[in-house]
Amino acid sequence: MSETTVEEGFIAPVPMEEDPSELFAGDSGTLDADVRRVLVRLLQRRFLTADRNRAQWRTLLENQQVIESRLHDLFVHLVVDHERGIAYKKQVRSAELDVPVLLRDEAYTRAETLVLVHLRTVFQREQGAGETSVRVDVEELEQTALTYFDPDDTNVAGHQREIRAAVARLAKEGLIEEESQGRYRVTPLVEVVLSNERLTELRAWLRTQQPAGTEAGR
């Protein structure tokens, strides 16, 4: 029996570890690298915004169905708000189905809630007045939040540190963006985090928390 020879032009099989479609050794994924990066960002971060991540936003819209499918495999919803240019994830919850919880809400501290309510209130007021861009100063946030602390409490410096830390967290989450030292632009994310209904509830609760004889900024 004669020895079989490889005919000219025949392409020999390539081992999987050398497959150019693989992104790393042993890769069995089917998504392109850019799509995977968007999926990871959605899982890592609370929001993906169109204005700050134009390329990833475009990738998301072009591959929304497959990204949604991957998230649904994890019992996670994808919400894409085209009007605001915001995408975020939500945990699937069901009374009929045993759903493992992947996303756990990290509650805001009291100081963070005070700052957030003021940001949402200012954003709502300025947007209602026709302003397209809303800005606040850190001193304004401090003074408003401090009205909810006991005026007889002498630890003002400690409360100021709490409020500054709250501002830092909200900036990290993208709800505000520092344009200059101590000057922030309020982003549309505040509307997503704090709905009108929830804002009304928190305002009512805060009125019960405010020391007598003080009045919060409106």
Side-chain angles (χ1 to χ4, degrees):
M1 185 173 182
S2 61
E3 183 179 352
T4 303
T5 59
V6 178
E7 296 181 5
E8 186 177 353
F10 176 79
I11 301 176
V14 178
M16 287 189 65
E17 61 271 15
E18 298 178 15
D19 188 344
S21 65
E22 286 189 337
L23 300 181
F24 51 86
D27 178 20
S28 61
T30 59
L31 301 180
D32 291 340
D34 288 344
V35 181
R36 297 188 198 194
R37 292 188 185 98
V38 171
L39 181 59
V40 170
R41 184 178 181 89
L42 286 167
L43 288 170
Q44 285 181 329
R45 304 289 183 86
R46 190 166 185 180
F47 303 102
L48 175 67
T49 58
D51 60 342
R52 299 186 67 181
N53 308 275
R54 295 185 184 279
Q56 290 194 329
W57 180 261
R58 185 169 56 252
T59 299
L60 170 63
L61 298 185
E62 292 172 351
N63 300 273
Q64 183 173 338
Q65 186 174 1
V66 68
I67 291 174
E68 281 182 323
S69 176
R70 293 295 192 275
L71 290 174
H72 289 170
D73 286 340
L74 302 175
F75 297 102
V76 173
H77 279 306
L78 172 65
V79 180
V80 180
D81 188 328
H82 294 273
E83 182 179 352
R84 296 188 180 96
I86 301 168
Y88 57 97
K89 58 191 179 296
K90 292 177 63 176
Q91 178 68 54
V92 171
R93 300 187 185 279
S94 172
E96 294 78 28
L97 183 65
D98 180 17
V99 177
V101 176
L102 177 66
L103 309 178
R104 299 189 182 277
D105 295 330
E106 185 178 347
Y108 286 116
T109 65
R110 184 167 185 261
E112 289 164 352
T113 301
L114 294 173
V115 173
L116 180 57
V117 168
H118 183 67
L119 291 173
R120 182 67 172 85
T121 300
V122 172
F123 188 86
Q124 183 182 60
R125 182 186 66 212
E126 296 301 309
Q127 290 278 297
E131 295 293 335
T132 57
S133 189
V134 180
R135 292 172 174 79
V136 293
D137 294 315
V138 68
E139 290 80 7
E140 172 190 343
L141 297 174
E142 278 188 5
Q143 292 305 312
T144 300
L146 283 172
T147 63
Y148 290 95
F149 290 91
D150 186 347
D152 296 327
D153 188 341
T154 58
N155 188 23
V156 176
H159 296 322
Q160 287 177 321
R161 285 193 295 271
E162 288 181 56
I163 296 167
R164 296 274 177 154
V167 171
R169 176 184 174 182
L170 297 179
K172 183 178 180 180
E173 291 189 350
L175 278 70
I176 50 177
E177 296 176 348
E178 190 169 24
E179 296 185 327
S180 59
Q181 187 171 2
R183 181 73 169 171
Y184 294 87
R185 182 179 73 87
V186 186
T187 75
L189 293 178
V190 295
E191 292 185 301
V192 175
V193 172
L194 206 57
S195 65
N196 282 327
E197 180 181 8
R198 184 59 177 152
L199 177 62
T200 301
E201 293 173 354
L202 284 174
R203 280 174 173 168
W205 174 75
L206 287 174
R207 280 194 291 270
T208 69
Q209 302 297 305
Q210 198 170 22
T214 62
E215 183 177 358
R218 297 182 182 277

